[in-house]
Amino acid sequence: MNAATAIDTSTAQAIPAPRVATPAEFLPLGPVSATFAAEWDELAAHAAEPNVFAERWFVAAGAAHLHPGPDGRLLAVRDAGQLIGLLPLATEPRYGRLPLRHVENWLHYHCFLGGPLLRRGHERAAWTAILEALDADPRATGLLHLTGLVENGPVHRGLLAAANRPCDTVHCIERALLESDLSPQAYYEATVRKKKRKEIKRLQSRLAELGAVTTRTLESRDDLPAWIDTYLALEQSGWKGRSGSALACAPHTAAFFRDALIAAFDAGKLELLRLDLDDRPLAMLVNFLAAPGSFSFKTAFDEEFARFSPGVLIQLENLNILDRPEIAWMDSCASADHPMIDSLWGERRAIVRVTLPLAGWHSRALFHAARAVERAAETLRARRQRPSAPPETEE
């Protein structure tokens, strides 16, 4: 060091050491800072597996109206300061029918996928940090139960690679998935039976005799409140309204729906379709977009026109998603063996529930006990469902 480059340390200010971000942090399930909101959105844009139900705008709507409770938390994990994983969590007092307190990913009735947002290329590291944080957390006891993971998807594979402990699939369903390189018309002809296509064409012709049948897509934010009102009224007019399960049957679920759709529109994630007869809505469909994936979130139809299968007709319009180059697939978010959508979409997506023990011998013992109970219950159900042998007859 020469005189030109020397520093007078007698008057120099101490330079603070760079702040090292906490590898794992528990946050309330509620409003977040603008800085963290930007990080969350950036993580969603680079997620290994798209999941709109774990994105900021959807979680915020649920947390505001669907009561995650005092134990609702958001676990954020980082690598070298960069956010690499986010997992909404809740603590539940029962594991199935067992009085076993445990931690699980926070889902509500209107949330159809439970995987956390994990940064692409950091799946194993993110899960390692998540498990280490839960192992050390005094509020996380016993088991970690994860509902709604895509079987063998990047999130599930990352968990299996990082777990270093038993990680059992305790339940699995398959639901309809739309994924094809075919055009909408070619896919329709390849997937739907000829007899069914003929019947659908007949229904379309009969409906057209009653007036002008049109399909519209929401384009303006100014129109969104009226479209939301129309959807809520359409859903409530049918069996969901009669059973009390329609969104409009409770103020908090209606408010959640409004907030979620407005936030989705603002995030560029909303597609809202409407099938009309003249000016009367017959069916509506809410899609959430998260390229390269998408999710068919909610649908409603006018039961007075059920004989024309308006729910099927709007799903035929939904096949146009195949023409969008940025969208590779759409998750139906439907129940397993759904007769309508299963007859229109040919692909399937396996969704699993996974259970694993947290750190400590006590958690391991609880895990093995709970799994023994589950296996015994599965064996009993299988025996009850097994067809009985035909009675013996004399020859």
Side-chain angles (χ1 to χ4, degrees):
M1 180 181 295
N2 55 36
T5 58
I7 298 176
D8 182 359
T9 59
S10 64
T11 58
Q13 296 290 325
I15 300 175
R19 180 180 180 273
V20 178
T22 304
E25 183 180 11
F26 290 97
L27 303 167
L29 262 178
V32 298
S33 69
T35 299
F36 189 80
E39 288 187 286
W40 194 336
D41 293 345
E42 191 271 342
L43 174 62
H46 297 87
E49 186 174 281
N51 181 7
V52 293
F53 305 108
E55 292 197 26
R56 176 183 56 83
W57 51 270
F58 190 86
V59 173
H65 301 290
L66 301 182
H67 316 302
D71 291 321
R73 296 183 292 168
L74 183 66
L75 175 54
V77 296
R78 299 176 182 274
D79 181 17
Q82 184 181 50
L83 190 64
I84 62 170
L86 276 176
L87 175 62
L89 291 168
T91 301
E92 297 295 333
R94 300 188 67 84
Y95 177 77
R97 297 184 178 182
L98 300 176
L100 178 57
R101 186 176 174 85
H102 67 286
V103 64
E104 62 184 41
N105 52 338
W106 179 64
L107 300 180
H108 51 77
Y109 183 74
H110 304 286
C111 186
F112 301 108
L113 199 65
L117 294 178
L118 305 181
R119 186 172 295 276
R120 189 181 307 114
H122 294 73
E123 298 91 329
R124 182 171 182 171
W127 272 121
T128 298
I130 288 171
L131 294 176
E132 287 178 351
L134 291 174
D135 283 341
D137 178 31
R139 292 174 58 183
T141 59
L143 311 178
L144 172 61
H145 184 58
L146 299 165
T147 298
L149 304 185
V150 179
E151 186 176 40
N152 293 322
V155 170
H156 186 211
R157 292 198 304 269
L159 174 62
L160 295 176
N164 193 29
R165 67 194 76 191
C167 187
D168 287 6
T169 295
V170 299
H171 187 259
C172 180
I173 65 164
E174 285 191 342
R175 68 190 185 206
L177 178 75
L178 177 63
E179 185 176 22
S180 176
D181 294 329
L182 297 175
S183 69
Q185 184 61 33
Y187 183 87
Y188 177 57
E189 294 175 357
T191 307
V192 180
R193 295 178 293 108
K194 183 177 181 179
K195 182 178 179 180
K196 185 174 180 66
R197 298 200 311 270
K198 184 177 179 180
E199 173 61 15
I200 290 173
K201 185 175 182 180
R202 184 184 69 83
L203 295 176
Q204 289 172 321
S205 298
R206 288 181 56 200
L207 183 60
E209 294 172 358
L210 302 180
V213 180
T214 57
T215 304
R216 293 187 285 159
T217 302
L218 176 75
E219 296 181 356
S220 169
R221 193 184 192 280
D222 292 339
D223 295 332
L224 180 55
W227 280 53
I228 292 175
D229 289 342
T230 300
Y231 181 94
L232 292 173
L234 192 62
E235 184 189 57
Q236 193 173 27
S237 69
W239 68 268
K240 288 186 178 181
R242 295 189 295 273
S243 68
S245 62
L247 290 159
C249 288
H252 66 281
T253 53
F256 155 74
F257 186 71
R258 291 182 189 280
D259 283 4
L261 265 61
I262 291 170
F265 186 95
D266 291 342
K269 301 296 182 76
L270 178 66
E271 182 179 69
L272 189 49
L273 305 180
R274 175 171 163 170
L275 177 70
D276 287 355
L277 176 63
D278 294 329
D279 292 327
R280 178 171 180 170
L282 298 187
M284 297 183 73
L285 179 64
V286 182
N287 293 330
F288 290 145
L289 309 178
S294 57
F295 300 83
S296 187
F297 177 54
K298 295 282 185 181
T299 187
F301 65 91
D302 189 336
E303 290 186 4
E304 288 188 27
F305 290 81
R307 64 189 183 279
F308 299 104
S309 298
V312 171
L313 298 184
I314 200 168
Q315 282 293 350
L316 296 186
E317 295 295 332
N318 199 31
L319 290 178
N320 289 325
I321 198 78
L322 294 172
D323 277 338
R324 300 185 61 158
E326 76 278 15
I327 301 297
W329 50 263
M330 176 173 279
D331 187 334
S332 68
C333 299
S335 57
D337 302 318
H338 192 285
M340 186 273 282
I341 200 65
D342 282 8
S343 69
L344 301 178
W345 294 6
E347 296 74 47
R348 299 292 179 263
R349 191 179 215 193
I351 306 295
V352 297
R353 297 178 192 167
V354 174
T355 298
L356 56 162
L358 296 176
W361 68 267
H362 182 66
S363 294
R364 293 292 180 105
L366 290 175
F367 169 81
H368 289 297
R371 291 296 293 130
V373 171
E374 287 179 321
R375 292 189 184 99
E378 290 170 4
T379 300
L380 184 59
R381 282 195 298 269
R383 288 177 177 174
R384 288 175 176 173
Q385 295 171 358
R386 185 181 303 163
S388 58
E392 296 183 3
T393 58
E394 293 183 4
E395 299 198 339

